[in-house]
């Protein structure tokens, strides 16, 4: 299922989680012909409303059980926040089923003339920086949007009928962990400080996931001179030569 030309028709896809990224993921995959099951650990009024929306599109929704891998699953698409050691992912690993994040799915769903991504991460200041970046791009006359961890679904944006010139993309360490093929045009890590260590397991693992944002950068890797750890991530990254 690697590459951008995936034949989704009839594929059994499990979407882990609902919310801002899970609902668009399930909706998009169902629209592409996949057989989608959405699972979610909680079962409240909000989740039931989201479930009703998805079920109307032919998605199977399982609330109150996010641990069991649905039979026949060929790919799991997870929303941010689900820990790598979750029972669902352990079951997927045991079954040889790949796990993608919502950002990975959005990257794979881009069209042939897709807008480049200018990606930003860091422990602090991501949202402010991405909004500022989008304002600068807009002032330059480009059609753009501030998307990603800022609360706007990347999946909806990359599938928009009206194309964008460039996207300002905020990415969390959670999202980067599950985005192995992401290759932004350019990227920045603003800073690094201990955060989400219960999720990542260690500061080294947290930094490594942040550093994924530099992989395959085509033009610029921006780092913080006052935070040498960000420069170290650039030096370790496999970027486009030149």
């Amino acid at each position: 299922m690697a590459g951008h030309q995936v034949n989704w028709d009839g594929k059994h896809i499990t979407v882990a989680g609902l919310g801002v990224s899970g609902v668009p993921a399930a909706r998009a995959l169902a629209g592409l012909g996949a057989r989608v099951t959405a699972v979610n650990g909680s079962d409240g009024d909000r989740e039931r409303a989201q479930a009703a929306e998805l079920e109307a599109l032919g998605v199977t929704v399982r609330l109150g059980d996010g641990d069991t891998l649905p039979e026949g699953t060929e790919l799991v698409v997870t929303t941010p926040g689900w820990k790598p050691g979750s029972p669902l992912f352990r079951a997927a690993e045991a079954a040889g089923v790949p796990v993608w994040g919502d950002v990975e799915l959005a990257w794979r769903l881009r069209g042939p003339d897709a807008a480049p991504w200018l990606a930003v991460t860091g422990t602090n200041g991501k949202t402010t920086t991405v909004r500022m970046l989008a304002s600068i791009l807009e002032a330059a006359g480009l059609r753009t949007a501030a998307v990603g961890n800022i609360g706007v679904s990347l999946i909806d944006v990359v599938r928009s009928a009206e194309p964008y010139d460039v996207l300002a993309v905020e990415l969390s360490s959670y999202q980067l962990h599950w985005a192995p093929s992401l290759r932004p045009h350019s990227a920045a890590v603003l800073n690094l400080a201990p955060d989400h260590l219960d999720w990542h397991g260690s500061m080294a693992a947290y930094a490594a996931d942040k550093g994924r944002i530099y992989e395959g950068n085509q033009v610029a890797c921006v780092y913080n001179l006052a935070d040498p750890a960000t420069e170290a991530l650039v030096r370790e990254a496999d970027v486009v030569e030149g």
Side-chain angles (χ1 to χ4, degrees), residues 120-127 149 170-173 176 188-197 200 203 206-207 210 224 227 229-230 233:
V120 178
T121 194
T123 304
N124 300 299
K126 295 186 295 294
T127 299
N149 194 55
E170 177 183 338
L171 297 175
S172 70
S173 56
L176 288 162
V189 178
L190 304 177
N191 44 59
L192 281 174
D195 200 17
H196 307 306
L197 300 190
H200 293 277
M203 183 62 193
Y206 171 66
K210 287 292 193 186
N224 183 350
D227 189 346
T230 63
L233 296 179

Side-chain angles (χ1 to χ4, degrees), residues 94-107:
V97 174
V99 179
W100 295 357
D102 62 307
V103 169
E104 178 73 11
L105 178 62
W107 183 255

Side-chain angles (χ1 to χ4, degrees), residues 8-190:
W8 297 101
D9 194 39
K11 294 289 185 185
H12 288 68
I13 314 296
T14 294
V15 174
L18 298 176
V20 173
S21 55
V23 170
R27 187 169 54 222
L29 289 166
L32 292 165
R35 298 173 65 179
V36 183
T37 300
V39 301
N40 199 75
S42 56
D43 180 6
D45 291 342
R46 178 171 174 269
E47 289 79 11
R48 291 181 186 184
Q50 292 172 329
E53 174 192 341
L54 293 177
E55 287 169 343
L57 300 175
V59 175
T60 299
V61 181
R62 197 174 68 196
L63 299 178
D65 177 13
D67 293 346
T68 308
L69 185 69
E71 186 175 354
T73 297
E74 298 172 78
L75 170 70
V76 175
V77 175
T78 181
T79 57
W82 284 51
K83 292 184 178 182
S86 297
L88 182 71
F89 302 147
R90 291 202 301 268
E93 183 180 9
V97 174
V99 179
W100 295 357
D102 62 307
V103 169
E104 178 73 11
L105 178 62
W107 183 255
R108 304 271 190 143
L109 292 179
R110 296 169 308 132
D113 299 316
W117 291 16
L118 304 183
V120 178
T121 194
T123 304
N124 300 299
K126 295 186 295 294
T127 299
T128 300
T129 302
V130 166
R131 285 176 174 159
M132 181 173 64
L133 174 59
S135 295
I136 293 169
L137 295 168
E138 193 172 77
L142 299 172
R143 184 168 192 262
T144 189
V147 296
N149 194 55
I150 203 166
V152 179
S153 168
L154 264 166
I155 293 169
D156 285 342
V157 171
V158 300
R159 288 173 52 78
S160 171
E162 189 174 349
Y164 288 84
D165 298 311
V166 61
L167 295 175
V169 185
E170 177 183 338
L171 297 175
S172 70
S173 56
Y174 301 157
Q175 291 171 316
L176 288 162
H177 179 86
W178 299 115
S181 74
L182 174 66
R183 299 294 184 267
H185 173 283
S186 299
V189 178
L190 304 177

